[in-house]
Amino acid sequence: MNRPYNFSAGPAAIPVEVLQQAAAQMLDWNGSGMGVMEMSHRGKEFISIYEQAEADLRELLAIPANFKILFMQGGGLAENAVVPMNLSRAGVVDFVVTGSWSQKSLKEARKYASEANTVASGEPSGFCTLPDPAAWNLSRGASYVHICSNETIHGVEFQELPDLKALGSDAPLVIDFSSHVASRRVDWSRVGLAFGGAQKNLGPAGLTLVVVREDLLGHALPICPSAFDYKTVADNQSMYNTPPTWSIYIAGLTFQWLKRQTEGSLTGVAAMEHRNAAKAALLYNAIDTSSLYVNKVAVPCRSRMNVPFFLRDESRNDAFLAGAKERGLLQLKGHKSVGGMRASIYNAMPMDGVQALVDYMREFEQKRA
């Protein structure tokens, strides 16, 4: 199958093996006579799909036993409200603002917390750097500290999660890891809650993943809808309301695909982390050694998943995109808020796809030198 390479930031490419398996099972899942979209979420068939997906995810991300895995709906944007409704206790919450998504999170939290503080911001640099944790102005007694650990639009990524205890804070760390979940290992000893939409690295739109430490359950505000109360969702094994069954199924197939990935002696997420680092290095090197392309993000903060870049001569943007489409390199136009180009190179993007993009970029530059 000669498919193009899809560099969309999300919904994003899904592994071909996963799509093929889903297509083969579309009308009849494992001899049940039903497709997954037709199943009762309480029937034994779907329960087995859900339980396997949950177990595989816990294994893949090495999620400790004292964390609950919740399969929810609403995407990352809804979690911007759901998190403060569950964790703020109507008190003070802290935000490290590193780009568009953490800006949105801060704005939404102000509706539910008594005070939502910006304790550090990358805005003075145009969101091209990450604020040094040692300089964060953390609030005493904050209910939680929120970061977006990978900013999809601006292309900055925390290479290491902050250690809040070392910074003198007892607040739990909340991470929005929507755009790099399962691309690298997570240090759960530093995390209280992580959330993310599935549509970038885990499967199709419709599923929202929440991983929350058990001691943070049971503190929802009275205004919190029951379907968004983490304790209610956890107590009902994500079945309080009808979950996004198809999205869970595809995510489950993606988890199994991830478990099969290897790089030398590495498997699963560790293998993907190694592969993703190599893909990103290839693309950033092509940009940095070029006289036409530029990436503005400070090197230590560069995302492995979302690589924004600009043509120094922006009058060539349309020609670049048209040529890329002819080559089967799709969805490279940058976000409308920042312009330029953006290549999202999530887990499902093979090294061959990144190499094809690099080859095209070099050819485009040479022909127009």
Side-chain angles (χ1 to χ4, degrees), residues 338-354:
V338 296
M341 309 297 161
R342 175 175 53 174
S344 293
I345 49 176
Y346 299 126
N347 284 342
M349 175 60 63
M351 179 65 82
D352 286 349
V354 179

Side-chain angles (χ1 to χ4, degrees), residues 133 136 138 145 161-173 187-192 213 215-216:
W136 294 0
L138 296 170
V145 178
L161 293 177
D163 184 351
L164 293 186
K165 290 190 181 300
L167 298 175
S169 173
D170 291 326
L173 178 67
D187 183 352
W188 293 103
S189 70
R190 298 186 176 186
V191 177
R213 212 171 60 211
D215 63 289
L216 299 178

Side-chain angles (χ1 to χ4, degrees), residues 36-166:
V36 173
M37 285 184 284
E38 305 170 288
M39 293 177 179
S40 165
H41 63 293
R42 301 189 186 281
K44 64 179 183 179
E45 294 87 0
F46 182 74
I47 292 295
S48 69
I49 292 172
Y50 161 80
E51 290 177 343
Q52 187 65 57
E54 183 185 45
D56 286 340
L57 182 62
R58 189 175 293 277
E59 178 185 346
L60 273 170
L61 298 186
I63 299 171
N66 65 324
F67 281 75
K68 293 290 188 181
I69 297 173
L70 311 180
F71 292 143
M72 300 181 67
Q73 294 160 314
L77 278 178
E79 287 303 312
N80 285 339
V82 177
V83 170
M85 281 195 285
N86 276 272
L87 300 191
S88 73
R89 309 191 192 197
V92 176
V93 293
D94 283 350
F95 282 79
V96 179
V97 178
T98 52
S100 293
W101 290 107
S102 45
Q103 284 180 321
K104 292 177 188 291
S105 301
L106 171 64
K107 181 179 179 180
E108 192 71 11
R110 285 180 170 151
K111 299 177 182 179
Y112 307 101
S114 64
E115 190 176 333
N117 297 323
T118 300
V119 299
S121 176
E123 191 166 8
S125 71
F127 297 123
C128 292
T129 63
L130 292 171
D132 182 356
W136 294 0
N137 187 25
L138 296 170
S139 305
R140 186 181 299 276
S143 296
Y144 63 86
V145 178
H146 177 115
I147 68 169
C148 180
S149 48
N150 185 79
E151 290 276 2
T152 318
I153 293 174
H154 289 92
V156 294
E157 180 175 17
F158 282 83
Q159 305 304 325
E160 181 181 7
L161 293 177
D163 184 351
L164 293 186
K165 290 190 181 300

Side-chain angles (χ1 to χ4, degrees), residues 183 185 263 266 269-279 304:
S183 72
R185 287 161 285 194
E263 289 289 334
L266 302 174
V269 170
M272 295 310 306
E273 183 169 4
H274 183 274
R275 190 180 303 172
N276 289 328
K279 291 188 303 185
R304 295 175 183 171

